[in-house]
């Protein structure tokens, strides 16, 4: 590894002769190699190299990319002219504020005296087998067999503030995970005004930035643009990760595609407001920072206390965006999601919402559950409207916060109706139905007993109006008493009957907060609630929801193995939404349902098979309708579609996903899932618009074994090479055509 400090050329050459020998012999075999103050993190296909500048004590980056096992060419620093000095011409790992680096800092601290200058210098380091948990925060996890951690300690001797940078390497996933602990060792309070979980400077070259944007019912739309000089970025100020922007960033070569080219992916494990900043500085380096939203931090740090940042996952792929996605999917399935249901046991379900909305009672719910069982569903979910006594939940204007069954609808509570429903047997099966329920515990209606008793429990800013959305306010989960109330309320529900599934919803953003720091305090309280409930009820399948995909983020996935991907259930829209979401998140985590037509969001009518095939590409397949209201032919098709969904589900839950054609690029979107052991695969192909008097394209598969053969739908056999180099054709007679094809290795 070469690292030369300006003005100490001789020292740099001496270090080169020593460190290169050590790095060359060890870097290809050990996940972490340290030579003095030079550090290498090594994955199967990635190297991350950093070192300490001998003169300044600054921590500098050398390489983040494909594997290297020997010397790194010297990073030539041009002669200083103008206003940008040495500190603004190097690749810094933890850029601080106020000493001549005019690029965006990773940390900004306001001292008690008011100034915001910091000077963090290297102090020490340690290597930890495995990966320690983060205090109060969700985080990736692993043992010494699959992850190693390097902690580099920096110290500002002028303010007595320490920053410990934690780098964890998952070699099999080409993933480096970073978080920061900032500790105040001084005698006065300080304020952390901004803090990035990860900051990385990439070399001077042209790059594209890719993100996921949207809004309610149109989540996860890809946005790709050139990284220009100056600042460009995005984030959320909604209090949550949001529909508007996902806490994900990819940087890619301009020529990078789904299957070719270098891509760097960054995913923030956090559910609160966040910031992603990409800056191409005057010297051409591209700096990427992901972390807290500075507008919602201002964290007071008294002497002796520590602020821990959320962690940021970074992966490198030499195989395009698809390679990046598959690395993230495997990492999150195996090292993020704690639930026993992470990769198994996702029963096909029927949710009552689109079928009945708020209009039901005990008998109509039972009849809908019977319909669900008759078509083959194995889980019935009672959605909104089941609760409230003094303020019954007959619409969205009352009842939130009062988590007791509505005595008019359920005079004997939930237990009798749950018992009756769980005695039903799914068609063509000996399996009894499971029962699930909808809750929205972080919210309260002003028309509720809870609000009348505890108006001080909601987020509000002094005398300012308490702005309602969907007729509701947000409970302040920064308060321990609110956390305790929610834990008890949900526990009481789950202990009252045989309930084995919970849909946890959240239907508005945060408008008023008493202080910016309340946002992170809320997140810490929310994570405590999630952790206690999921630990107390490990046999419950939990699903996250926030008006659809408003909180589809790694922080939620730590506790809930699946998330409702979007309130837009239109199958054509869902292809884009689900494939966009899959840039970061495993399909195993996606809730996807076959809904009624005309669709409630778009008014479009799509064939039932097309709707079912799109929903099968999510880990949790379900129905969002009342079968009794369906056309006879459509209802008759449901048992076969459910059976097919159950057949492909194990491959979707654990396999690798290959996005063959994207809906924004082709009239024939196509996706291939290959089982973890490579023995089976399932291909989904769709036609969006009619193809009149024209031939059809060949869909070329990817990721197969070229040297072996595959049987197609228990019929003809082709070699993997043929399927990848020639492909298959699918003639569709109409628009909205679809086909699901099973492949089995011979």
């Amino acid at each position: 590894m070469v690292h030369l400090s300006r003005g100490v050329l001789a020292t740099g050459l001496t270090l080169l002769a020593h460190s290169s020998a050590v790095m060359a012999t060890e870097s290809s075999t050990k996940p972490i190699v340290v030579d003095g103050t030079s550090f290498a993190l090594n994955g199967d296909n990635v190297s991350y190299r950093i070192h300490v500048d001998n003169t300044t004590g600054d921590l500098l980056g050398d390489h983040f990319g494909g594997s290297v096992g020997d010397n790194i060419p010297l990073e030539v620093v041009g002669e200083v002219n103008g206003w940008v000095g040495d500190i603004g011409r190097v690749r810094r790992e933890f850029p601080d504020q106020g000493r001549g680096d005019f690029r965006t800092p990773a940390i900004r601290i306001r001292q008690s005296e008011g100034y915001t200058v910091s000077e963090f210098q290297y102090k020490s380091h340690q290597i930890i087998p495995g990966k320690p948990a983060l205090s109060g925060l969700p985080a990736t996890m692993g043992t010494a067999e699959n992850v190693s951690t390097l902690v580099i300690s920096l110290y500002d001797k002028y303010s007595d503030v320490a920053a410990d940078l934690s780098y964890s390497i998952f070699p099999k996933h080409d993933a480096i995970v970073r978080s920061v602990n900032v500790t105040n060792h001084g005698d006065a309070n300080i304020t952390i005004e901004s803090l990035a979980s990860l900051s990385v400077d990439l070399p001077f070259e042209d790059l594209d930035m890719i993100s996921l944007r949207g809004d309610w019912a149109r989540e996860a739309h890809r946005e790709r643009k050139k990284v220009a000089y100056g600042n460009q970025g995005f984030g959320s100020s909604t209090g949550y990760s949001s529909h508007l922007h996902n806490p994900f960033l990819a940087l890619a070569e301009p020529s990078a595609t789904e299957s070719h080219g270098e891509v760097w992916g960054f995913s923030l494990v956090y559910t609160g407001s966040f910031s992603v900043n990409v800056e191409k500085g005057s010297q051409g380096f591209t700096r990427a920072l992901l972390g807290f939203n500075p507008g919602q931090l201002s964290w007071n740090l008294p002497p002796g206390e520590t602020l821990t940042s959320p962690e940021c996952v970074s992966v490198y792929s030499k195989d395009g965006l698809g390679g990046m996605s598959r690395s993230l999917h495997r990492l999150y399935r195996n090292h993020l999601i704690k639930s026993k249901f992470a990769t198994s046991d996702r029963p096909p379900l029927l949710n009552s919402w689109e079928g009945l909305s708020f209009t039901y009672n005990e008998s109509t719910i039972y009849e809908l559950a019977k319909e669900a069982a008759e078509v083959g569903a194995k889980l019935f979910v009672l959605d909104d409207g089941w609760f409230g006594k003094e303020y019954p939940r007959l619409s969205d204007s009352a009842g939130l916060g009062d988590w007791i069954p509505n005595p008019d609808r359920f005079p004997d509570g939930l237990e009798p109706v749950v018992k009756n429903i769980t005695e039903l047997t799914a068609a063509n099966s000996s399996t009894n139905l499971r029962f699930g329920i909808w809750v929205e515990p972080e919210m309260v209606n002003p028309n509720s007993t809870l609000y009348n008793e505890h108006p001080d429990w909601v987020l509000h800013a002094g005398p300012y109006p308490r702005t309602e959305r969907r007729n509701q306010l947000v409970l302040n989960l920064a308060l321990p008493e609110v956390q305790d109330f929610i834990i008890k309320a949900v526990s009481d529900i789950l202990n009252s009957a045989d309930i084995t599934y919970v849909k946890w919803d959240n239907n508005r953003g945060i408008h008023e907060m008493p202080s910016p720091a309340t946002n992170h305090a809320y997140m810490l309280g929310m994570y405590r609630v999630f952790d206690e409930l999921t630990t107390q009820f490990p046999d419950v399948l939990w699903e996250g929801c926030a008006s659809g995909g408003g909180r589809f983020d790694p922080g939620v996935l730590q506790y809930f193995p699946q998330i409702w991907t979007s309130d837009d259930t239109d199958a054509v829209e869902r292809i884009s939404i689900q494939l966009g979401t899959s840039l970061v998140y495993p399909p195993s985590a996606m809730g996807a349902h076959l809904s009624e037509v005309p669709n409630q969001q778009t008014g479009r009518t799509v064939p039932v098979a097309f709707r079912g095939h799109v929903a099968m590409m999510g880990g949790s397949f379900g129905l969002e309708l009342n079968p009794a209201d369906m056309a006879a032919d459509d209802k008759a098709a449901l048992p076969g579609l459910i059976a097919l969904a159950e057949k492909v589900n194990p491959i979707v839950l654990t396999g690798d996903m290959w996005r063959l054609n994207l809906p924004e690029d082709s009239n024939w979107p196509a996706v291939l899932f290959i089982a973890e052991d490579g023995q089976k695969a399932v291909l989904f192909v769709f036609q969006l618009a009619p193809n009149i008097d024209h031939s059809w394209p060949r869909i070329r598969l990817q990721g197969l074994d070229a040297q072996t053969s595959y049987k197609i739908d228990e019929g003809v056999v082709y070699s993997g090479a043929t399927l990848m180099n020639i492909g298959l054709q699918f003639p569709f007679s109409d628009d909205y055509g679809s086909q699901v094809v099973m492949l089995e290795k011979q």
Side-chain angles (χ1 to χ4, degrees):
M1 183 183 294
V2 177
H3 47 87
L4 301 180
S5 300
R6 291 179 61 81
V8 288
L9 183 60
T11 303
L13 288 174
T14 301
L15 285 172
L16 168 61
H18 173 65
S19 65
S20 63
V22 176
M23 294 296 179
T25 56
E26 295 188 2
S27 64
S28 61
T29 58
K30 290 187 176 181
I32 298 177
V33 179
V34 178
D35 179 29
T37 55
S38 297
F39 310 94
L41 289 83
N42 305 295
D44 288 357
N45 303 286
V46 67
S47 290
Y48 195 102
R49 299 285 190 90
I50 52 182
H51 76 275
V52 177
D53 184 286
N54 300 306
T55 301
T56 66
D58 204 0
L59 188 62
L60 303 182
D62 296 305
H63 175 71
F64 178 22
S67 296
V68 293
D70 52 11
N71 302 339
I72 296 176
L74 171 66
E75 185 84 63
V76 178
V77 180
E79 187 167 343
V80 174
N81 287 300
W83 292 5
V84 178
D86 286 347
I87 198 169
R89 296 168 181 261
V90 292
R91 295 163 56 187
R92 306 179 70 203
E93 281 291 295
F94 194 61
D96 45 24
Q97 171 97 13
R99 296 185 296 112
D101 185 352
F102 298 113
R103 297 166 292 180
T104 305
I107 186 168
R108 183 171 61 252
I109 299 174
R110 184 172 295 278
Q111 308 291 345
S112 59
E113 297 86 350
Y115 43 75
T116 57
V117 177
S118 296
E119 185 172 340
F120 286 99
Q121 297 181 335
Y122 171 82
K123 182 178 180 182
S124 63
H125 69 270
Q126 62 176 318
I127 297 175
I128 303 171
K131 182 176 184 293
L134 292 190
S135 177
L137 288 167
T140 52
M141 53 198 176
T143 66
E145 295 180 352
N146 43 53
V147 60
S148 301
T149 300
L150 168 69
V151 179
I152 299 178
S153 298
L154 308 177
Y155 199 78
D156 181 345
K157 63 185 179 182
Y158 301 101
S159 64
D160 290 322
V161 176
D164 294 324
L165 312 185
S166 174
Y167 296 84
S168 296
I169 173 78
F170 290 86
K172 296 299 180 186
H173 303 284
D174 296 325
I176 295 102
V177 181
R178 201 183 92 169
S179 62
V180 183
N181 280 344
V182 179
T183 304
N184 181 6
H185 292 289
D187 298 325
N189 288 3
I190 61 174
T191 302
I192 311 298
E193 295 189 336
S194 69
L195 178 61
S197 302
L198 177 139
S199 172
V200 62
D201 288 344
L202 295 178
F204 172 39
E205 58 185 44
D206 288 333
L207 294 171
D208 287 350
M209 59 182 289
I210 301 165
S211 60
L212 297 174
R213 61 164 180 82
D215 208 317
W216 173 78
R218 53 177 174 85
E219 297 90 338
H221 285 234
R222 291 192 190 201
E223 182 83 4
R224 181 168 183 163
K225 57 187 177 183
K226 179 180 179 180
V227 176
Y229 279 91
N231 280 306
Q232 49 250 275
F234 54 89
S236 171
S237 58
T238 69
Y240 307 110
S241 49
S242 85
H243 307 79
L244 311 182
H245 297 282
N246 198 270
F248 158 76
L249 167 73
L251 295 173
E253 291 180 314
S255 60
T257 66
E258 274 291 320
S259 54
H260 300 288
E262 288 192 301
V263 178
W264 294 261
F266 306 95
S267 179
L268 188 67
V269 185
Y270 194 55
T271 310
S273 293
F274 69 92
S275 174
V276 174
N277 185 274
V278 179
E279 180 177 7
K280 192 167 186 175
S282 66
Q283 295 294 307
F285 297 145
T286 296
R287 175 172 292 177
L289 305 101
L290 293 87
F292 291 115
N293 183 329
Q296 294 182 4
L297 187 57
S298 294
W299 191 266
N300 178 54
L301 200 63
E305 292 197 6
T306 297
L307 173 64
T308 300
S309 80
E311 70 179 26
C312 184
V313 174
S314 58
V315 298
Y316 167 78
S317 167
K318 59 182 175 52
D319 298 318
L321 290 161
M324 173 202 71
S325 297
R326 287 184 289 277
S327 289
L328 287 167
H329 296 175
R330 295 182 199 122
L331 181 73
Y332 284 168
R333 285 197 306 262
N334 296 303
H335 297 288
L336 175 71
I337 302 171
K338 289 183 176 180
S339 170
K340 61 184 278 188
F341 301 102
T343 55
S344 65
D345 195 15
R346 305 291 184 85
L349 65 85
L350 185 144
N351 182 290
S352 70
W353 179 248
E354 288 197 24
L356 297 178
S357 186
F358 287 109
T359 308
Y360 60 80
N361 56 32
E362 189 170 310
S363 62
T364 54
I365 286 296
Y366 181 71
E367 289 302 316
L368 183 59
K370 284 176 61 179
E371 291 280 349
E374 288 172 4
V375 297
K378 294 181 171 61
L379 166 64
F380 177 79
V381 180
L382 176 60
D383 209 280
D384 199 354
W386 58 269
F387 52 91
K389 185 177 179 181
E390 289 84 3
Y391 299 87
R393 181 74 166 176
L394 305 179
S395 70
D396 64 15
S397 63
L400 279 180
D402 300 343
W403 299 107
I404 54 174
N406 179 337
D408 293 329
R409 291 181 168 177
F410 303 101
D412 298 313
L414 290 176
E415 199 276 336
V417 70
V418 173
K419 184 175 184 296
N420 289 336
I421 288 174
T422 54
E423 289 176 349
L424 294 170
T425 303
N428 303 315
S429 167
S430 59
T431 303
N432 283 10
L433 255 65
R434 306 184 200 180
F435 186 90
I437 202 161
W438 177 98
V439 293
E440 193 176 0
E442 298 165 69
M443 302 291 161
V444 65
N445 288 124
N447 292 324
S448 67
T449 301
L450 179 66
Y451 186 77
N452 286 333
E453 292 178 352
H454 298 286
D456 55 316
W457 279 11
V458 302
L459 285 169
H460 64 284
Y464 286 92
R466 302 181 178 198
T467 307
E468 296 177 29
R469 286 291 298 159
R470 201 174 182 253
N471 304 305
Q472 63 195 53
L473 299 168
V474 185
L475 291 171
N476 185 0
L477 269 75
L479 301 175
E481 57 267 36
V482 173
Q483 300 164 28
D484 292 340
F485 168 80
I486 294 174
I487 291 168
K488 183 178 186 305
V490 177
S491 297
D492 288 347
I493 296 166
L494 296 179
N495 287 323
S496 72
D498 185 15
I499 299 169
T500 56
Y501 168 101
V502 172
K503 179 178 179 179
W504 186 295
D505 210 344
N506 179 298
N507 279 303
R508 60 157 289 177
I510 296 173
H511 294 179
E512 293 94 17
M513 287 185 287
S515 73
T518 303
N519 182 234
H520 184 54
Y522 179 107
M523 285 299 120
L524 294 175
M526 185 194 76
Y527 290 139
R528 181 210 159 202
V529 170
F530 286 0
D531 186 60
E532 293 210 12
L533 285 171
T534 55
T535 300
Q536 185 180 348
F537 298 97
D539 296 327
V540 170
L541 174 57
W542 299 81
E543 176 174 286
C545 179
S547 299
R551 294 201 306 201
F552 208 125
D553 62 68
V556 170
L557 284 181
Q558 172 93 102
Y559 311 98
F560 300 167
Q562 62 188 49
I563 299 173
W564 181 231
T565 317
S566 176
D567 280 348
D568 186 348
T569 57
D570 177 274
V572 177
E573 294 285 308
R574 266 304 190 105
I575 295 175
S576 294
I577 292 170
Q578 290 172 207
L579 294 194
T581 303
S582 76
L583 267 182
V584 204
Y585 305 104
S588 62
M590 297 183 205
H593 295 175
L594 187 167
S595 65
E596 63 184 2
V597 290
N599 181 265
Q600 289 188 0
Q601 284 76 37
T602 66
R604 180 165 24 210
T605 296
V606 176
V608 67
F610 189 104
R611 286 177 272 153
H613 294 162
V614 172
M616 289 174 203
M617 295 193 296
S620 176
F621 174 88
L623 307 177
E624 199 80 24
L625 45 75
N626 186 344
D629 296 336
M630 298 178 72
D633 289 346
D634 284 358
K635 181 178 179 180
L638 291 181
L641 289 169
I642 290 174
L644 180 58
E646 290 185 290
K647 184 178 180 180
V648 305
N649 190 246
I651 303 175
V652 172
L653 285 176
T654 63
D656 279 338
M657 179 188 197
W658 299 76
R659 295 179 293 262
L660 306 178
N661 289 338
L662 300 176
E664 55 263 43
D665 298 332
S666 172
N667 189 45
W668 295 274
V671 177
L672 180 69
F673 293 90
I674 302 177
E676 196 169 21
D677 62 6
Q679 294 302 306
K680 293 183 179 180
V682 57
L683 172 66
F684 294 86
V685 183
F686 304 93
Q687 177 171 283
L688 302 181
N691 187 46
I692 301 169
D693 192 22
H694 201 283
S695 62
W696 286 271
R698 291 187 180 273
I699 307 296
R700 294 186 180 184
L701 279 56
Q702 298 179 40
L704 301 177
D705 183 347
Q707 305 305 315
T708 193
S709 297
Y710 295 83
K711 183 180 288 186
I712 309 297
D713 277 345
E714 301 180 356
V716 65
V717 175
Y718 297 110
S719 71
T722 297
L723 292 170
M724 291 189 290
N725 295 324
I726 296 178
L728 299 172
Q729 283 182 300
F730 298 92
F732 296 111
S733 57
D734 302 305
D735 56 357
Y736 308 135
S738 62
Q739 192 163 340
V740 177
V741 180
M742 301 298 299
L743 293 83
E744 187 167 358
K745 202 173 190 179
Q746 299 303 291

